[in-house]
């Protein structure tokens, strides 16, 4: 009879920025890749999943740190622990995938990396699309806060307070700003009226 067509191979790849950035995942289309650089926040997770009978794999250079892959039958629970109750080690090196039967390619290959700095990623093996993806890590800058004017005592109907005018900013937004006000110099030995 007629030979069956080769099974299709599907490549899904994306960059998942850290939750605090509130940025959506970025899809990577290897078919349209023309060595164009991509920028993503530091600590993003890069996922490449190759499904189908394929000999493709992923090669990286630079600061793309491999994340541990769960062993068959061991998924991570919602609390971040492995199925056996032990804490999952996210900084471990990539574990080798389960070996397929001789002469067969694995049905699904998934690789995960943490973007710790600039690096490159490309697919290797028979049928892999050409091109190398250069990924530039966008460092997370520290929040900035400054007085817009010096603090001053509140006067008027309810004196005794302190007026503070400040400006704060962060590259991914601020969740909160907190100030601690303390008396300068040695503690007062006087008696409180309240």
């Amino acid at each position: 009879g007629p030979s069956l067509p080769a099974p299709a191979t599907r490549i899904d790849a994306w960059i998942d920025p850290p939750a605090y950035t509130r940025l959506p995942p970025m899809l990577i289309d290897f078919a349209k890749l023309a060595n164009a650089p991509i920028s993503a926040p530091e600590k993003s997770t890069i996922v490449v999943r190759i499904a189908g009978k394929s000999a493709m794999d992923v090669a990286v250079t630079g600061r793309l740190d491999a994340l541990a892959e769960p062993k068959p039958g061991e998924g991570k629970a919602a609390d971040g622990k492995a199925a056996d109750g032990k804490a999952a080690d996210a900084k471990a090196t990539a574990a080798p995938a389960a070996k397929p039967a001789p002469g067969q390619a694995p049905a699904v290959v998934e690789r995960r990396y943490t973007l710790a700095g600039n690096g490159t990623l490309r697919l290797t093996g028979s049928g892999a699309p050409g091109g190398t993806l250069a990924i530039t890590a966008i460092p997370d800058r520290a929040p900035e806060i400054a007085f817009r004017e010096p603090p001053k005592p509140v006067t008027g109907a309810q004196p005794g307070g302190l007026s503070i005018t400040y400006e704060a900013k962060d590259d991914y937004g601020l969740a909160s700003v907190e100030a601690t006000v303390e008396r300068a110099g040695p503690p007062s030995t006087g008696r409180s009226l309240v």
Side-chain angles (χ1 to χ4, degrees):
S3 63
L4 296 173
T9 300
R10 177 179 170 142
I11 302 168
D12 295 312
W14 64 93
I15 299 173
D16 195 12
Y20 66 84
T21 65
R22 296 185 298 267
L23 295 172
M26 296 177 271
L27 296 177
I28 301 170
D29 186 349
F30 283 99
K32 296 180 181 175
L33 187 64
N35 293 334
I38 291 181
S39 295
E42 245 177 359
K43 300 178 190 152
S44 291
T45 300
I46 300 165
V47 181
V48 179
R49 185 177 299 143
I50 305 164
K53 303 233 181 226
S54 167
M56 282 190 259
D57 205 349
V58 181
V60 298
T61 63
R63 295 293 316 275
L64 296 173
D65 297 342
L67 294 175
E69 296 177 28
K71 293 176 186 166
E74 287 184 4
K76 275 204 302 187
D79 62 0
K81 293 185 178 180
D84 61 3
K86 295 179 183 173
D89 183 8
K91 292 189 177 183
T93 58
K99 300 237 182 225
Q104 288 186 334
V108 176
V109 172
E110 182 173 302
R111 302 285 184 252
R112 291 176 176 259
Y113 304 92
T114 297
L115 184 60
N118 299 340
T120 64
L121 181 144
R122 69 182 173 85
L123 298 181
T124 62
S126 178
T132 299
L133 176 65
I135 305 171
T136 302
I138 303 169
D140 185 13
R141 295 188 319 258
E144 297 176 19
I145 188 164
F147 290 117
R148 292 181 83 190
E149 56 187 56
K152 56 187 173 191
V154 174
T155 58
Q158 295 186 356
L162 183 66
S163 173
I164 300 174
T165 306
Y166 62 90
E167 185 174 343
K169 63 182 177 178
D170 184 63
D171 44 358
Y172 297 110
L174 294 167
S176 65
V177 174
E178 195 174 301
T180 302
V181 179
E182 296 178 352
R183 182 180 301 270
S188 172
T189 56
R191 190 181 89 166
S192 175
L193 298 177
V194 180

